[in-house]
Structures are given as structure tokens and as C-alpha cells.
């Protein structure tokens, strides 16, 4: 979550959900924490309630689940409750989530203490849904892309997010499973490999046409 980097007040925060039980008065009474600092910290905690499901999943501290995996899980399941209820087999079927990561996630949500943290987060009003912005459409569903080169308007990160928001997948290397290579200037070896394999190469404008229908 957005406040994960904050140093937890000693004795007051035992898990991420405890952050939302803090008050400005409590924080202001801590050593080297004045009213202004306490107020700023409370503002950050309040804002973090609505920073997205992927940030929440990452903030839970599940072993082997980094920011990228948290984003994939948020997009796939759409809510924290669906993730909690997922079987290990369902987790293994998620793109880029292998058996080791799936086992770690499943084991995490089998522990009563972790389920209590999830319940506390819900009671605290933390957003546990992916939200409408997480997925715009399913027009690229089932399609696998590789992004390479400098695009006219989008950065590679923005292009990746746009593809994923519309149901597509983005991988780092070109293979026989790749459906499209989104190429810009100075695309290099990935473009050459795509051409050698007969994989369709598209521009940023063509990607937008695919999404806009």
C-alpha cells in the first residue's frame, strides 16, 4: 500500500490494517513527531485507502509477490475477496504466476491471522475492488504482445498498461506464442525476430484502432 514505506510507530502497528486505527493525536504524542508531521502522515494514510487493489495486494507482504505480480493478480481477479477464495490451481492458471508463487499466495490466505488482516482492512474502508479503471474492455483478450522501440506518444510502460487494461498480455521476449509486436523507432532485434517468425508488427496507431474497434 502507499504507506508501506512509513516507519510503523512502535507498539501501535502490528499489521497493515492497524495503520487505519491511528489518530493524529496518537501520532503527535510520539517522540520526534510534531502536530504537522502527524497531520501529514494521517493525510497519507487516508489517501492510501483508495490507491488501488494492486497496491493493496503488494502491501500485504505475500512472499514472492512483487509489484508486477500484484498488478497481474488485481487485473485477473478484480477483487481481494476473489483472490482470497482462489484455489491453488486457479492461481497457477493466472498468466505469469507459476506453482511456487501460487502456493505462496494460497498458503498466505489459509492463515487465520492474514484473513483477520483482510477483514480489518475492509472494516477500515480500504478499497478492495480493482475499480473500473483497472479494465477498460476485453478487446485484446487472449492476445499476447511484445512492446519494443520508441513509440510516438506512449512510453513502453504506458503501452503495457493500455494493453493490459483492455485484456491483453505483454511479455518481454518474442516467441511463437506472440500475436503482435508493437514497434516504434529503433525496435532492434525484437522486430527482426518477429519478422523472421512471421508475427504481425503493428504501430501505436494500429493498437489504438484495435482497442477503439
Amino acid at each position: 500500500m502507499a504507506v508501506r514505506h512509513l516507519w510503523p510507530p512502535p507498539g501501535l502497528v502490528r499489521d497493515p490494517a492497524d495503520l487505519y486505527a491511528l489518530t493524529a493525536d496518537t501520532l503527535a504524542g510520539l517522540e520526534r513527531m510534531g502536530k504537522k508531521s502527524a497531520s501529514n502522515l494521517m493525510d497519507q494514510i487516508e489517501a492510501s485507502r483508495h490507491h488501488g487493489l494492486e497496491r493493496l495486494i503488494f502491501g500485504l507482504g505475500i512472499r514472492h509477490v512483487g509489484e508486477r505480480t500484484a498488478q497481474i493478480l488485481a487485473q485477473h481477479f478484480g477483487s481481494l475477496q476473489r483472490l482470497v477464495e482462489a484455489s491453488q490451481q486457479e492461481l497457477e492458471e493466472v498468466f505469469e504466476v507459476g506453482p511456487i508463487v501460487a502456493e505462496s499466495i494460497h498458503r498466505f490466505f489459509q492463515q487465520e491471522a492474514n484473513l483477520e488482516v483482510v477483514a480489518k482492512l475492509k472494516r477500515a474502508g480500504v478499497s478492495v475492488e480493482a475499480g473500473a479503471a483497472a479494465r477498460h474492455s476485453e478487446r485484446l483478450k487472449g492476445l499476447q504482445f511484445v512492446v519494443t522501440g520508441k513509440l510516438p506518444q506512449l512510453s513502453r510502460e504506458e503501452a503495457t498498461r493500455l494493453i493490459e487494461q483492455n485484456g491483453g498480455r505483454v511479455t518481454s521476449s518474442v516467441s511463437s506464442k506472440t500475436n503482435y509486436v508493437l514497434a516504434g523507432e529503433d525496435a532492434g532485434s525484437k522486430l527482426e525476430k518477429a519478422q523472421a517468425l512471421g508475427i504481425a508488427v503493428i504501430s501505436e496507431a494500429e493498437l489504438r484502432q484495435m482497442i477503439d474497434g
Side-chain angles (χ1 to χ4, degrees), residues 71 75-76 131-145 154 158-170 204 206-213:
Q71 181 186 34
Q75 291 174 339
H76 182 91
R135 181 61 65 87
H136 295 167
S137 79
E138 299 288 339
R139 286 180 175 164
L140 304 181
K141 186 175 182 179
L143 299 178
Q144 191 162 298
F145 294 77
L154 298 173
E158 290 170 335
T160 296
R161 186 161 57 250
L162 181 62
I163 291 168
E164 291 176 341
Q165 285 174 340
N166 288 279
R169 298 174 176 176
V170 178
E204 181 182 315
E206 289 171 318
L207 172 66
R208 292 184 184 277
Q209 288 174 1
M210 292 172 68
I211 293 171
D212 294 339

Side-chain angles (χ1 to χ4, degrees), residues 10-11 34 41 43 46 53 64 69 80 110 113 135 146 172 197 206:
L41 183 53
D43 287 344
E46 182 61 31
L53 179 59
H64 302 307
T69 302
L80 184 58
Q110 293 299 303
R135 181 61 65 87
V146 170
S172 59
L197 292 174
E206 289 171 318

Side-chain angles (χ1 to χ4, degrees), residues 41-174:
L41 183 53
M42 288 302 301
D43 287 344
Q44 292 182 54
I45 292 173
E46 182 61 31
S48 74
R49 295 179 195 267
H50 308 288
H51 274 180
L53 179 59
E54 66 274 13
R55 299 281 289 276
L56 173 59
I57 294 171
F58 177 62
L60 290 173
I62 305 171
R63 189 180 182 190
H64 302 307
V65 176
E67 293 185 48
R68 170 65 178 168
T69 302
Q71 181 186 34
I72 291 170
L73 292 170
Q75 291 174 339
H76 182 91
F77 290 104
S79 74
L80 184 58
Q81 190 58 39
R82 284 192 61 202
L83 176 60
V84 169
E85 296 172 352
S87 67
Q88 186 168 331
Q89 181 178 348
E90 288 175 315
L91 289 163
E92 288 185 25
E93 292 173 355
V94 178
F95 180 63
E96 290 188 17
V97 175
I100 293 176
V101 178
E103 181 183 6
S104 178
I105 297 168
H106 187 256
R107 183 182 300 156
F108 181 90
F109 290 118
Q110 293 299 303
Q111 297 177 22
E112 193 63 34
N114 295 330
L115 292 178
E116 177 57 27
V117 170
V118 170
K120 286 167 65 178
L121 287 167
K122 291 179 180 178
R123 291 196 295 268
V126 177
S127 176
V128 293
E129 304 287 333
R135 181 61 65 87
H136 295 167
S137 79
E138 299 288 339
R139 286 180 175 164
L140 304 181
K141 186 175 182 179
L143 299 178
Q144 191 162 298
F145 294 77
V146 170
V147 182
T148 184
K150 184 179 180 180
L151 300 173
Q153 295 181 323
L154 298 173
S155 67
R156 292 190 192 184
E157 291 76 16
E158 290 170 335
T160 296
R161 186 161 57 250
L162 181 62
I163 291 168
E164 291 176 341
Q165 285 174 340
N166 288 279
R169 298 174 176 176
V170 178
T171 59
S172 59
S173 58
V174 178

